[in-house]
Structure formats: C-alpha cells, structure tokens
Amino acid sequence: MTAPESNQSVESLKDDIQRHVALTLGSDPFPPRKGRYYLGLCYSVRDRLLGQWLETQRSYYDSITKRVYYMSLEFLPGRFLMNYIQALGMEEECREAVRDFGLDLDELLEEEWNPGLGNGGLGRLASCYMDSMATCRIPGYGYGILYDYGIFYQTIVNGYQHEGADNWLRQDSPWVLRRGHFMFLINFYGRSEAYEDSAGHERFRWVDTESVMAMACDIMVPGHQNGHVTNMRLWKAISTRDFELEHFNRGDYIGAVQSKVESENISKVLYPNDTSPRGKELRLRQQYFFVAATFQDILRRFRKNNYSSFDCFPDQVAVQLNDTHPAISIAELMRILVDEESLTWETAWTICQKTFSYTNHTVLPEALETWSVELIGRMLPRHLQIIFEINRRFLDDVGKRFPGRVDLLRSLSLIAEDNGKQVRMAHLAIIGSHTVNGVAELHSKILKTRLFKDFDNLYPGKFTNVTNGITPRRWLMQANPALSELIGSVIGDEWIHDLSHLSELAAYADDPEFQQRWQEVRKRNKKLLARYVLRKLGVGINPATLFDMHIKRIHEYKRQILNVLHVITLYNRIRSGSVAHHVPRTLFFAGKAAPGYMQAKLIIKLINAVGQAVNGDPAVGNDLRVVFLPNYCVSQAEKLIPAADLSEQISTAGMEASGTGNMKFALNGALTIGTLDGANIEIREVVGEDNFFLFGHTEEDVHRLHSGGYDPVQIYESNIELKKALDMISTGFFSPEAPGLFRPIVDSLLAHGDYYLVLADYAKYVAEQARVSKCYEDPALWTRMSILNTANMGKFSSDRSIMEYARNIWKVSPLT
Ligand code: GPV
C-alpha cells in the first residue's frame, strides 16, 4: 500500500470511530475517552468485517457445498478486537488512528472483557478450531449457547478461591449480533403419544409440552487475511408468548412474568463442570435446548436447497459432537426423521450414522456423562423411547454376533444398571456416529484398548485419532509480537498460514547472534510480565529468574501438588543451605477449581499458603518466589505463556487426554518438564528427547500400579525430603492458625492410596527439575533448546488438525 492511500485509510478510520462514538453510542467525541473510543473502534472494525462475512455466508449457498456443524457447549474465544484487526491486516492503521486521538491501542484492547463461555481446554480447542476452519476456508459453523454468565470470576481472598458472577454481557458486546427475528420453538416435558397413521402404522408424537424460544446470536470468526468469515451461532433462551398468555388469562400477572424468567434461565449460566454436573436438570435442558435449536437451523438450510430426499442429507451435513454434551442430537435427529419426516427407522438410522462423528476428550470415569432414565423420561419422553429402541436393536445385533455373551451385552448397553438406570451418553455417541476420535495418539489408543475396547472390536475402523492443535494466529502472532517479528525477520511470515515453515528456524539454533536476539525477546516478555504481576498483585518478581509455570484448571490428576512438593523441597534446601548454590526461580500458578471440588480448592489455598511462607522468608530472598495469579483466562494466558521458561505438564500418565497449553508453551519457546501423557509424547517426539525434560511412570506403569501393590506410605517413609515436605503440610507449618487445615491433602496421598501417584513420581520429578536448573545455567544450551522447541512445533497448528478432520472425517474440502 502506498503512503497516501494508507493516510487516507487512517483518516477514514478516524472518521468512522468518531461517527460511531457520536451516532452509535450517542456520546460526545470530545474529549476522546478510552472506553468510548474503544467501542468506536470496535464498531469501525466490525463494519469492515461484516461485508466479508455476508459474502462468505452467501458463497456457501451459491456453491451448495457440504458444511460442518461443530457443536460445542463451550467456546473460549478470548478477546476479539485484536483478532479482527489482524485478520483484516489493519494493525498499523489502527495504531496510528487511535494515536492521533492521543490514545494507545494496547490500552484500548485491555478494555475488552473475555467471553468466558467455557471451562478450559475443551472450550479453547473449539475456538482454535473455529479460527482454523475460517483460515482454511472449511465451510461450516460453530454452534453453542450464549450464556449470560460465563465461567465464574475468581478472586483469591486470604488464600482461598472466591467465585464471583461473570456478567460479561452487562455492557452490550459489539461482537454479538442478536437475530431477534430468528427464533425457533423448543419443547420439553409432556408425553409421547401413540397414534395410527393413515396406512395403519403405529406412530408417535410428542404432546403436552412446555416450550421456550431459542434466539440466534451470531459472532463472526474471521480467517487470517483471506476474506473468509465463519459464523459462530450461539442460542439464547427467550420465553414464549403462549406461556405468558396462559397466566394472564388467569389474571396472574406476577406468575406470568415469573414463568417467563424461569424459562429464560436455560441460557443463564455455564456449568463449571470439572467434577461433572451429574443429574443437574438444568444442564440437560441446556443440552437439549441447544441441540434442538441447532437441528432446526440445519434442517432449514437443508430444505432451502429443495432436496427431494433425505438420503443426501449426509452429503450436505457433517455434525461434529464436541464430547458427549451434544450427544442427545442422535435421538433428536432420529425423532425428526422418523416422527416428523416419516422415514423408516432403518433409513433414519443410516442417515444418522453417516452424519455424526464424536470426539472424546477424557477417560476419567467421573467425567463420562450419564443421565438418569428417570430424568430423560420426564424431560424428553419421546427421546427416551428412541434411545431404548436404538439400544434394543443394537443389543439384538450384538447378541446375534456374539451369542451367549451376557457380559458383553451388559458392558456395551446404552443403559447402565448399577447405579439406578442411567443412559451412557458416550455409548449413544459411539453407536450413532461413523467415526469416534481421541485427541492425542496415546489417548486414542487408550480408547481402543481399554475404555471402549469392546466397541472397537465390534466396529473395526470406527475409532481414530486426531491430535489436537492450537492456532498460531492467537498463540504466537498475537500473544507474542516480539518473537513473531524476530521469526519473521529470518524466515518470513509464511508460518502464519503454514506452521511447518517454523522448521527453517532450526538452522539458527546455534547462531550466537540469533541466540542473543532470541534471548532479548524472551527477556523483554519476562519484564512485561513482571510489570503486570506488580500491577495486579503488588508483588515484585525478578525477570532474571527462571520462570516456571503451571497454569491450567486445578485438578488432582494435573498434580499441582507434585509441583508444590518440589517447591517445598527447594525451600527446605535453601533454608538448610544444603545446596551450594541454587538457580533462582519464580513459580507461577494460575487456574480455577470447580466450585464444588473441595480438594481442588484446598490445593489453591495450599499454593497460596506456601507462597506466603516462601515469599515472606528473608532467608530465601530472591531465590524462590511463588505467585498465584487469580482469574486465569485466555487473555492472561496470552500474557503468561510468552514469558515462560519452563512449562509444567506433569499429569499422571494416561489421564490428560491431550493438553493444549503444553503446545502453546513449546511454540513460544518454553521448555517442557512433563510425563509421557497426552500430547506431551508427540511434542517430545518432534522437539527431540534432548530438548524435553521427561520424568515419571508411564501409562502402563500406572495401570499396573493401580492393579495392586502400590504403597505410597513406604515411599514416604523412605524419602527424607519428601517426608519432611509432607510433614510440614500436615502439621501446620503453612497454616499455623489452623494446623490441621491441609490434612485432607496429605490423607489423600498417604491414607487413601495416592490414586494420582504423586509420591511414586516425586523423586524422579525432583531429580529432573535439578537437570532443568543445570541446563538453565548454560544460556547457550538453553537458548538452543528453546529455539528448537519453537522450530519443531509445526505439527501442532490447529490448521493441521482441522484439515485432518476435513479430509478423514467430515469429507469436506476447502472453498476455493
Ligand atoms: I471431558 N477437557 C476439558 O477441558 N473439559 C472437559 O469437560 C473434558 C475434557 C480437556 C482435556 O482434559 C484436555 O486433556 C484436552 O486437551 C482438552 O479437553 C481438549 O481436547
């Protein structure tokens, strides 16, 4: 772009911003105020994207192409403004425009609230995939719920987690386009009624229902500088008029308003579901609400193309179930096809199986969804009938193929009998889909060989793997501008579209000049973070120390406790002077605990208590610092990750399905200390054994230890440093005001069998951490390892993942 043109575009952007401040917001543009001008900029950027969005949506219709429906109850998109600006390639223009008003773009960006419509990895993955679908021009949509309240806002009070309401829509978001004219009726409760059709066949209809409307709210997801803008459609619950009239007729005004409010509760709040929200009626209502609305939208589009038959439905529609949260879709599509479209059961079932595919994200038994037969029967009576019929035909088939195998029938059945009758949603998703995938190689292997072994035998080839990925746009270009620029200066910018280009950096791994520039960037990022921590917590940290980060949901299987035991061990070594010299470290923890998960909340308190003891001990000085950053979210991750030296990925082997934070760190040049779990294994494979700090029992070891013979007490008795650390926790060293406070943590490790094998991995972990420190003392070595991590992370672009889904599962190709 020539200079005069660019001046022109800056001037017209400035005009637009002021016009929006005055005419959209109704505010006086003078003097320029940050909050108003932030919004003025949002609307101006939005204007520039809307045309592309309309055009993309129109091109889907024009080309009558197969489309992907990515159904997810969670999305964590992070802030939109910079994402849109960079997608449009107008960063410099925006910087200049706001600078002319005496404002700073980076400060304006901080005005945006994070849409916290997800819990963690699963929701963030969905957003990385939306980004890649748009960038790879895969025709499709994201579908979900527009929660009024996202994941709770976390504060730390006296070391404890406090949950606050995240009313993110308090100020209208400029990004949410409400489609007030676009509503679908959603039914619940009532009963299934049998009747005879004109041909004398028994049919069913769902009657006497209560209903609510689903209103479409759209958010644009742009591809990177390619003019393609994908739609994310989130449903909001709106009460129906009928519902009100019924009350009004009885003269019950307050009752009318109350029932209106209650029906709108469906989209009120995201479930913080790390310990699963088993049996929560509202959660099942959310699932069906979003499924029923989405399918009405899918069918509306399908009908628009005037198809003569439903046989070609699977040639037009691919539905990806993001975990089992949308699995009731399978019963819903069967209901539509059989009850409303009058297809035979067999035809309908074939269509279903060709339409759906299912991604499993966990093997932890407590996180596998089940719904009681009683609840489904009450809320979705016709769906329960359909689920029973699916099960009857399925078990019939299994019985014929494996006569006499009652054990097999019991293990495969959609209905579990052991704990009151429960519908196993994973089983429904497996048999209703053509493909089931895990999210990393090890995880997919565990699905096939352990969790769903019998299903794999029954349906060879149905189970497959798609290793997760992350978008390099947000997680490198946007989060780490300094490193992006350095990379660009030696290998160009192709990596933004094709991350495999990063491999060209390997040639510079030993180049002293490049190493120095690499270190300068990392140092700069660490200083920026130190400033942020000082601002947020009032705690000073030293950027020259090793930044060691453990940031993710707080959960026992992620083993924050193992990290804490290492910190206490270092602390004891420093205090006793038993190490001649120590590599100074700053430990960063961040993450939320599910509000009902007491052990996880106690772990947060312990981290803070240890931090308080360590940070306040003059004997420690700068050598060890512990900070817990409250309210971990996408934007905070973007600040932390580019400043990390060490990434903690220390879950019990076999328990972390994939992990995606692990990828973000390695992409930004942090080194990983990790177990052979989830995607760690594949990261280590590509970055090289020498550039990865490995420790701990393998998945097979874990399986063996769980089968019997593991004795954590014996390990405790025989390891002096470990015993000392645990004794300090259990005797109140970190909680003098309440000495027994942390007993439950120590009990879980000693008295209750240490299910997550913390003690089993402690010694190896501490030893590997010593190797980390040693490497860190050799800057040339460390920098080389860091460069090689970034250089070899090409595989973990979500573009690669999305193209695998597109080719192997969805059978769709990019629009040209
Ligand atoms: I199931 N995951 C999540 O964040 N929430 C869930 O409810 C379930 C899974 C996570 C896994 O724990 C991660 O290992 C994985 O990387 C992520 O999903 C994306 O696949």
Side-chain angles (χ1 to χ4, degrees):
M1 209 181 253
T2 61
E5 260 173 349
S6 114
N7 280 342
Q8 217 182 346
S9 60
V10 170
E11 286 311 313
S12 82
L13 177 60
K14 284 168 64 182
D15 288 346
D16 284 353
I17 293 172
Q18 292 195 311
R19 184 174 49 82
H20 276 299
V21 170
L23 303 182
T24 305
L25 305 173
S27 293
D28 190 342
F30 298 103
R33 278 175 303 170
K34 195 161 78 177
R36 302 277 92 185
Y37 272 59
Y38 154 71
L39 277 172
L41 177 61
C42 289
Y43 284 109
S44 306
V45 170
R46 193 181 87 167
D47 289 347
R48 285 157 174 75
L49 216 48
L50 276 167
Q52 295 186 4
W53 177 73
L54 291 171
E55 209 171 298
T56 305
Q57 299 307 311
R58 197 178 312 125
S59 74
Y60 291 0
Y61 288 103
D62 294 348
S63 59
I64 319 187
T65 175
K66 182 171 182 179
R67 296 166 220 178
V68 177
Y69 290 83
Y70 195 88
M71 295 185 68
S72 180
L73 268 189
E74 303 190 17
F75 288 95
L76 284 171
R79 288 177 176 147
F80 290 103
L81 181 53
M82 192 50 150
N83 179 241
Y84 286 0
I85 290 174
Q86 290 188 339
L88 287 162
M90 55 186 292
E91 182 173 346
E92 278 324 303
E93 209 172 307
C94 289
R95 282 197 189 280
E96 209 177 310
V98 302
R99 201 184 303 126
D100 285 356
F101 294 127
L103 297 166
D104 175 59
L105 182 62
D106 295 316
E107 272 183 43
L108 293 197
L109 297 177
E110 292 289 321
E111 292 285 300
E112 185 173 352
W113 199 257
N114 269 258
L117 310 183
N119 275 284
L122 172 140
R124 181 55 227 176
L125 184 77
S127 286
C128 281
Y129 282 177
M130 292 301 296
D131 181 279
S132 284
M133 279 173 66
T135 295
C136 300
R137 299 170 177 277
I138 295 297
Y141 313 85
Y143 272 89
I145 291 180
L146 187 77
Y147 303 103
D148 293 336
Y149 293 87
I151 185 73
F152 62 88
Y153 189 93
Q154 180 198 52
T155 51
I156 302 296
V157 181
N158 187 25
Y160 289 101
Q161 166 173 298
H162 280 222
E163 297 101 26
D166 165 60
N167 191 0
W168 75 291
L169 291 173
R170 184 166 27 210
Q171 306 134 314
D172 267 339
S173 165
W175 314 127
V176 179
L177 301 151
R178 290 164 59 113
R179 309 286 182 203
H181 57 288
F182 216 117
M183 301 246 219
F184 291 118
L185 193 70
I186 313 297
N187 293 310
F188 294 97
Y189 305 104
R191 62 200 167 81
S192 173
E193 182 181 79
Y195 69 101
E196 226 172 65
D197 69 9
S198 50
H201 294 128
E202 184 180 55
R203 307 272 305 263
F204 292 90
R205 59 188 163 213
W206 186 10
V207 297
D208 296 341
T209 54
E210 286 174 25
S211 54
V212 63
M213 306 296 290
M215 180 172 88
C217 301
D218 292 340
I219 298 181
M220 296 184 279
V221 181
H224 185 69
Q225 298 184 9
N226 67 353
H228 192 108
V229 183
T230 295
N231 193 24
M232 177 159 76
R233 175 155 287 181
L234 305 179
W235 301 106
K236 179 177 170 56
I238 304 282
S239 69
T240 57
R241 296 300 311 274
D242 311 358
F243 213 25
E244 291 167 39
L245 288 177
E246 199 184 295
H247 287 272
F248 283 130
N249 291 342
R250 285 189 262 126
D252 181 12
Y253 169 70
I254 293 296
V257 174
Q258 206 169 351
S259 61
K260 177 178 155 73
V261 168
E262 271 162 29
S263 69
E264 292 180 352
N265 274 344
I266 292 181
S267 59
K268 215 27 104 193
V269 58
L270 166 80
Y271 273 90
N273 68 340
D274 249 313
T275 52
S276 76
R278 189 148 291 164
K280 295 292 189 304
E281 186 157 341
L282 184 59
R283 169 76 172 184
L284 182 63
R285 270 210 278 171
Q286 290 184 339
Q287 296 187 347
Y288 180 67
F289 167 77
F290 134 77
V291 161
T294 303
F295 272 85
Q296 290 188 58
D297 214 18
I298 294 175
L299 281 148
R300 176 186 63 82
R301 287 205 190 96
F302 180 72
R303 291 198 184 98
K304 241 174 146 168
N305 287 335
N306 274 319
Y307 284 102
S308 50
S309 135
F310 269 91
D311 292 340
C312 55
F313 188 78
D315 304 325
Q316 290 294 299
V317 177
V319 177
Q320 188 67 38
L321 304 173
N322 197 23
D323 215 88
T324 56
H325 316 152
I328 194 71
S329 292
I330 291 163
E332 174 68 356
L333 184 56
M334 285 302 286
R335 188 191 65 79
I336 293 169
L337 296 178
V338 173
D339 293 0
E340 294 179 359
E341 302 295 336
S342 307
L343 302 192
T344 65
W345 183 277
E346 291 76 11
T347 310
W349 186 242
T350 306
I351 293 171
C352 259
Q353 285 186 317
K354 285 185 178 171
T355 301
F356 289 108
S357 43
Y358 153 56
T359 306
N360 172 285
H361 294 266
T362 186
V363 298
L364 298 186
E366 68 271 26
L368 294 173
E369 275 192 303
T370 60
W371 291 107
S372 79
V373 163
E374 183 279 322
L375 177 57
I376 298 190
R378 192 155 47 77
M379 187 186 299
L380 304 166
R382 179 59 185 138
H383 297 79
L384 182 64
Q385 261 185 327
I386 289 170
I387 289 168
F388 279 153
E389 180 62 12
I390 293 171
N391 199 36
R392 189 188 66 76
R393 289 171 181 250
F394 168 65
L395 293 182
D396 244 29
D397 188 48
V398 176
K400 279 189 201 123
R401 286 175 57 183
F402 302 92
R405 291 283 308 276
V406 183
D407 60 316
L408 200 59
L409 296 181
R410 188 167 316 121
S411 92
L412 291 171
S413 175
L414 298 196
I415 312 296
E417 311 264 357
D418 26 308
N419 187 5
K421 283 196 177 187
Q422 301 272 332
V423 179
R424 296 158 160 162
M425 301 309 275
H427 291 203
L428 177 61
I430 292 168
I431 74 168
S433 298
H434 56 83
T435 306
V436 178
N437 75 285
V439 291
E441 275 166 22
L442 173 67
H443 169 60
S444 297
K445 190 180 115 192
I446 293 172
L447 294 184
K448 282 181 24 156
T449 57
R450 302 201 202 280
L451 198 58
F452 301 133
K453 186 166 189 275
D454 294 332
F455 282 104
D456 182 51
N457 285 335
L458 205 59
Y459 304 117
K462 182 180 278 209
F463 286 81
T464 183
N465 173 248
V466 181
T467 298
N468 283 167
I470 56 172
T471 167
R473 271 74 63 185
R474 183 170 294 264
W475 295 111
L476 185 50
M477 183 178 71
Q478 184 179 317
N480 201 343
L483 197 67
S484 299
E485 201 182 303
L486 172 57
I487 292 170
S489 74
V490 294
I491 66 164
D493 287 338
E494 253 124 317
W495 60 269
I496 298 171
H497 273 108
D498 176 355
L499 201 62
S500 64
H501 279 276
L502 287 183
S503 63
E504 295 159 32
L505 286 175
Y508 299 86
D510 291 307
D511 174 343
E513 194 213 307
F514 186 74
Q515 281 207 349
Q516 200 198 328
R517 290 167 74 195
W518 191 266
Q519 279 173 350
E520 277 163 13
V521 165
R522 303 189 48 73
K523 189 63 165 286
R524 206 194 83 136
N525 291 341
K526 290 170 78 173
K527 280 186 182 152
L528 283 175
L529 178 61
R531 229 180 290 160
Y532 172 79
V533 171
L534 186 62
R535 218 172 43 236
K536 281 269 157 186
L537 300 181
V539 177
I541 54 173
N542 181 355
T545 60
L546 190 165
F547 279 15
D548 177 346
M549 298 193 186
H550 204 166
I551 57 176
K552 51 182 80 234
R553 287 299 287 253
I554 311 296
H555 202 295
E556 287 165 285
Y557 85 82
K558 295 176 188 282
R559 299 200 295 190
Q560 280 90 0
I561 282 296
L562 181 56
N563 190 338
V564 170
L565 288 172
H566 174 241
V567 172
I568 298 173
T569 304
L570 290 181
Y571 177 49
N572 289 336
R573 286 180 186 176
I574 293 168
R575 286 195 308 159
S576 69
S578 69
V579 270
H581 100 125
H582 164 84
V583 174
R585 288 198 192 213
T586 304
L587 271 118
F588 295 80
F589 290 89
K592 295 175 183 178
Y597 186 177
M598 297 326 275
Q599 195 79 346
K601 294 176 96 168
L602 195 57
I603 291 169
I604 291 180
K605 172 66 178 170
L606 177 63
I607 294 168
N608 282 291
V610 170
Q612 202 176 21
V614 169
N615 301 346
D617 189 333
V620 173
N622 248 332
D623 283 353
L624 192 58
R625 289 255 128 160
V626 180
V627 296
F628 188 102
L629 284 158
N631 203 41
Y632 184 56
C633 61
V634 172
S635 291
Q636 196 180 81
E638 289 175 49
K639 294 186 171 72
L640 287 164
I641 291 168
D645 294 305
L646 187 66
S647 154
E648 299 272 352
Q649 308 299 336
I650 62 176
S651 51
T652 314
M655 297 201 183
E656 188 71 273
S658 162
T660 45
N662 48 3
M663 302 170 190
K664 294 160 196 168
F665 277 111
L667 179 62
N668 281 278
L671 305 190
T672 306
I673 182 162
T675 47
L676 286 176
D677 199 12
N680 294 353
I681 297 171
E682 291 160 74
I683 292 174
R684 177 168 172 268
E685 241 161 56
V686 298
V687 306
E689 294 172 18
D690 295 346
N691 304 311
F692 189 104
F693 297 101
L694 179 72
F695 75 98
H697 288 83
T698 64
E699 188 269 335
E700 283 180 8
D701 297 337
V702 170
H703 192 70
R704 186 170 41 76
L705 289 172
H706 277 169
S707 310
Y710 174 52
D711 181 7
V713 175
Q714 188 254 319
I715 298 175
Y716 161 82
E717 298 289 358
S718 58
N719 187 318
I720 298 168
E721 285 191 303
L722 172 62
K723 182 169 188 304
K724 170 136 192 229
L726 284 169
D727 289 348
M728 285 162 78
I729 297 172
S730 64
T731 58
F733 182 92
F734 301 107
S735 55
E737 71 294 346
L741 184 63
F742 297 120
R743 255 318 140 57
I745 289 177
V746 178
D747 282 349
S748 78
L749 301 176
L750 295 177
H752 305 141
D754 185 19
Y755 183 75
Y756 300 97
L757 304 177
V758 173
L759 303 204
D761 279 344
Y762 168 84
K764 291 272 170 60
Y765 177 60
V766 171
E768 193 63 10
Q769 286 283 19
R771 214 168 69 78
V772 169
S773 292
K774 198 146 177 294
C775 287
Y776 193 73
E777 284 186 303
D778 180 346
L781 172 64
W782 187 277
T783 309
R784 174 192 147 81
M785 292 168 78
S786 167
I787 296 168
L788 288 175
N789 266 260
T790 303
N792 289 303
M793 285 299 288
K795 168 177 173 185
F796 297 97
S797 168
S798 44
D799 299 345
R800 187 268 312 150
S801 313
I802 277 299
M803 290 313 293
E804 284 182 19
Y805 278 101
R807 266 194 293 272
N808 305 334
I809 299 181
W810 303 331
K811 317 284 183 199
V812 298
S813 20
L815 285 183
T816 44

